[in-house]
Amino acid sequence: AKRGFTSQGNEFSYHMLLASNWVLNVAPVAHVGRFRLFPYIHQSINVRSIRDQVRPVDVPDVDPSQLPEEANFSMCAGDFLAIYGGQAEQWDAIVTVFFIDTAHDVTEYLRIIYNALKPGGVWLNLGPLLYHYAEMAHEASVELTWEEVRVVIGALGFAIEAEEWVRCTYAGNRMSMLHNVYDCVHTVCRKPS
């Protein structure tokens, strides 16, 4: 948004929405780094030193209120399929991070992403295939391998311009003695013009 692009976030989780509302609408009233949190204070295992356990995190790190007056930035709460399912050819780019595996059926997300992009539009993705609904009773879950997801991407009409594997952590304590690491796929896919 700072560079002049229309930008929109999407979130379904009530807890994430509360946090994003606070960062976007409450915290900026103060200034960058105004609030000091201690997120690791109750972490008593796999701690190297007391300094690591009591180190603060200052938020926000970027002040959203400093966007230019003409910036077109918004946050859209709700289900991705319901919100973007009817937005045919509306977006030049879609970025998904640790997202596509949150679907009951990943092929539905891929179809919506493809349809929402304008011709020539690009989809950038980074994430694992954790499949949030796998092994949950009474929840449908289609769990494709990356090879199968790749086939679906091509069958929809996307051209995969770049693909690489990246080791990533997620919401972890970088100073901990324990780290959960994902081997994530990073792709750049383009819808034909």
Side-chain angles (χ1 to χ4, degrees):
K2 271 188 172 179
R3 295 182 179 176
F5 296 102
T6 297
S7 303
Q8 184 172 77
N10 171 239
E11 183 57 62
F12 182 74
S13 162
Y14 186 66
H15 297 98
M16 296 284 196
L17 287 166
L18 281 173
S20 64
N21 178 63
W22 182 79
V23 169
L24 294 172
N25 299 310
V26 178
V29 172
H31 58 73
V32 171
R34 167 74 189 271
F35 299 96
R36 180 161 277 190
L37 306 177
F38 296 86
Y40 313 111
I41 197 80
H42 295 293
Q43 189 176 53
S44 60
I45 58 172
N46 292 307
V47 178
R48 295 180 196 194
S49 76
I50 191 70
R51 284 185 318 277
D52 296 341
Q53 188 176 14
V54 298
R55 78 179 189 284
V57 174
D58 295 331
V59 293
D61 60 344
V62 174
D63 187 346
S65 70
Q66 296 302 309
L67 288 172
E69 188 84 18
E70 66 279 359
N72 190 350
F73 174 74
S74 61
M75 185 71 183
C76 191
D79 178 69
F80 179 79
L81 296 174
I83 292 167
Y84 298 98
Q87 294 191 18
E89 299 184 351
Q90 296 295 307
W91 298 94
D92 293 307
I94 295 176
V95 178
T96 55
V97 180
F98 279 73
F99 175 70
I100 64 171
D101 61 345
T102 66
H104 286 279
D105 180 351
V106 67
T107 64
E108 290 181 328
Y109 276 11
L110 301 179
R111 183 181 49 79
I112 296 297
I113 291 167
Y114 186 86
N115 289 336
L117 284 170
K118 293 177 183 176
V122 66
W123 168 44
L124 294 91
N125 177 64
L126 172 70
L129 294 176
L130 184 60
Y131 292 117
H132 293 225
Y133 295 101
E135 302 175 11
M136 287 180 73
H138 313 295
E139 292 286 350
S141 182
V142 175
E143 297 133 24
L144 303 180
T145 66
W146 172 246
E147 250 178 14
E148 293 168 320
V149 170
R150 207 174 186 286
V151 168
V152 173
I153 290 170
L156 285 168
F158 277 116
I160 298 176
E161 295 183 346
E163 177 181 344
E164 66 177 324
W165 293 91
V166 181
R167 294 179 66 77
C168 297
T169 58
Y170 184 83
N173 179 353
R174 64 181 169 79
M175 300 303 289
S176 175
M177 296 167 63
L178 174 67
H179 298 276
N180 292 318
V181 179
Y182 294 95
D183 283 327
C184 295
V185 64
H186 173 249
T187 53
V188 176
C189 304
R190 187 169 302 276
K191 182 176 182 175
S193 297

